Structure formats: structure tokens, C-alpha cells
Amino acid sequence: MSTPGHEPVSAATIAACSARRHRLGEVMAGRQLDALLVSNAKDIRYLTGFIGDDSLLVVSGDVAAIISDARYDEFLEPWRQSPLAEVVMGTRHRLEQSVQQYCRRSGVKRLGVQAEHLTVTKRATLGEVLGESSLVDTEVLIGRLRMRKDDLEIETIQRAIAIQQEALDEALGRLSMGMTELELTAVLEYEMKARGATGPSFPTMVAAGARSSIIHYVSGPPEIQEGTLLIDWGAVVDGYCSDMTRTFGVGRLPQKVREIYLIVLDAQRAAIDACRPGKTCAEIDAVARRLIDAAGYGEQFGHGLGHGLGLDIHEDPYFNQLATDVVLEPGMVMTVEPGIYVPGVGGVRIEDDVLITDDGCRVLTDYPKDPAASVIEPAVASGPAR
Ligand code: GLY
Ligand code: MN
């Protein structure tokens, strides 16, 4: 049954969430927990499909309760009609009391809590309301499950990628000399939303000229002129993030930037080729880092090679030098994004999203990155793209 204005929870979501809950139940069984209190909104979405903030989930295998407040009452109607969870309406800022009542009525005596997510204050409140002895700190139980994506998640990330790539094509078609970084950011974000994205997966980064050497640049009023243009952007679709970076030469790539472009591209392709189950994340990072080191730019590659991608833009696992005991597994979706950054000259980063498969990996993104394709001509002679 559907609520006016709201679709029922889809059969695909119900099936996926049930399978995820089954896996969680196996992990919890080893810890003798009667239930887990999930406070991280992304994890609640992962296990139920419900996207409301400020809510809690008490879950034990197939049995679960979403504990929320009046702001989400109507929104939660499809969940009331689904087999995924009971819905308990509580009072904002007093949800711990509702958790306590639910646990008492359901016979929950050992309740796991998400130590990696709770603030010290929230943890103390839970201890006061539920009794310290009934709480068991757990760490990243759901985060570890989320590392391996299921078919629904992969399909959703692919939709986000398709949207971000189409949006970039459209935005670059409206690029003009003198347009500001923020104007291009706005066009790109508009085009993603116009295609169904609920938002960018992080603040869209458009860095013109030498500013491209600032790794986590914040786009601003500077104008886009001939030369380097680094764009790091992504879309959120049905909660899932995509993430890519391309470095362009507007009119031309400055000679030094072209030199580092070729090194970064080689390093990125070699790292992607090396991705397969059983390799550690540190080994994959080292493939790119060795090539960049050998070219003399090791000091200018000041970040890890990439990160897991899913409901969060950055999530476990991470490609970096510390990840010597983190092993790639089928179903992981990772970014591969080496970069070289030369202050005063410019930076190059090239970022794609890859799915680890049973015997290697599949690159999910396919926006051109050949050096020839990286040189673009503004489609519009001059002036902002209004
Ligand atoms: N693309 C943004 C980041 O990975 O930090
Ligand atoms: Mn990234």
C-alpha cells in the first residue's frame, strides 16, 4: 500500500536490506548482543532504506524498530507498511527514553552501541537512561559490511556516475573564457540535479590555473582563463556517491602541467591494472607511488591513492601506505586518484571509480582522459554561462 505522495519501499530495497541484516546478524551473534542501537544515519539507511536524520534504529536480525519523532511521521508511513521495521514515534531530544522502553518490552538486555559514531555526550546520556551495564561498545560493525557493495548499491553508484559524466559534458559545453570557478560549479551542480541527483557528493571543486595545485581547494570568484582547469566532482543518487576528477587544459595545457599529466595518467593506469582481490590497499597505493617517485615527484603526491565509495564519499577501505593489512575483496568500490601538485605551477589529479571483481576490477567511470581529450576549447566565446 502506498501513502499519498510517497512510494512504498521497493521490493529491491526490502530484499537488499534483508540480506544486509542477515549478514549483520551473523556478526552480532559472535558478540552475544541482543540488539544493536544504530545511530549513524547512513547505517540506518543501509539497513532499512529510511533516510531521515536524527532517528535511531534498534536492530536484531529480522526484527527492528525505527525510533523517530513527529517530523518524520508521515515520511515513515511506507516503512510501517513494509516488513523491514516497526516504527516507534518518540520525542525529539528524548529518543533514548523510547529506546529504553522498546528494549524493555522486547527483552533486550545487552544492547550494542556504535562507539565509532556516538559523541561522548550521547554515549553518557544512553548510559544514564538505559543503564551502563546493559550497553556494549562495538566498533564499525556495519562499516565493515558496507565495504562490499551488493548489486543494488553497484547499480546505484553506476547511475550516479552516468549523471555526473553527462552533467560535466553539458557544463563544459557552456564554458566560456572569463567564467568564474563558482559559475562553472553552479552549472555543473545544476546539471547533476536536473538529471536526478539529490546533490553533489561533496562541494564541487573547480580550480583554475595554478590554484589547481591546492589539493582540497575551495572554488571561488577567480576567472577561468587559458591554462589548467582541475574539476573534482560527484553526484549523490538515492544516497550513493560517485567521485571523479579530470584535469583539462583550456585552449592548451601548460608545458610543465602536460609533463606531470602524463606521469599521473601512467601511475593511475598502472594502479588500476593492479587492482584485484587479495592485493592489499598498500600494495596498490605503492604501484602509483613508485612511478611518481621515479619521475621525481614523490614529494608532490601528498595524499593516499584513493578511498572506498558508497553512502559516504570517503569510506573504508582506503588506498594508502598504512593499509598493509587491508585486503581488496570483490564488491569493493574504490576511487583511484593519484595526483602531482606543484605550487605556483598547477596540479593534476585523475580520478576514476573501480569495482573490484572476482578476478580483477571493472572501471565504472569512462570519461575520456587521454592527453588529447584533456585539451578543451570554450564553447562560448566569453561571458558567464547564464
Ligand atoms: N573527490 C574528493 C575527495 O576524494 O576528497
Ligand atoms: Mn575522491
Side-chain angles (χ1 to χ4, degrees), residues 270-304:
I272 290 174
D273 282 349
C275 285
R276 63 179 54 85
K279 290 276 183 193
T280 69
C281 287
E283 284 175 306
I284 306 300
D285 180 277
V287 169
R289 205 165 294 281
R290 262 196 303 271
L291 287 169
I292 292 175
D293 268 344
Y297 288 101
E299 293 290 308
Q300 280 78 40
F301 176 22
H303 56 77

Side-chain angles (χ1 to χ4, degrees), residues 314-329:
H314 296 148
E315 58 182 46
D316 287 334
Y318 288 83
F319 283 136
N320 60 37
Q321 292 164 289
L322 304 175
T324 52
D325 58 352
V326 184
V327 176
L328 287 180
E329 295 176 39

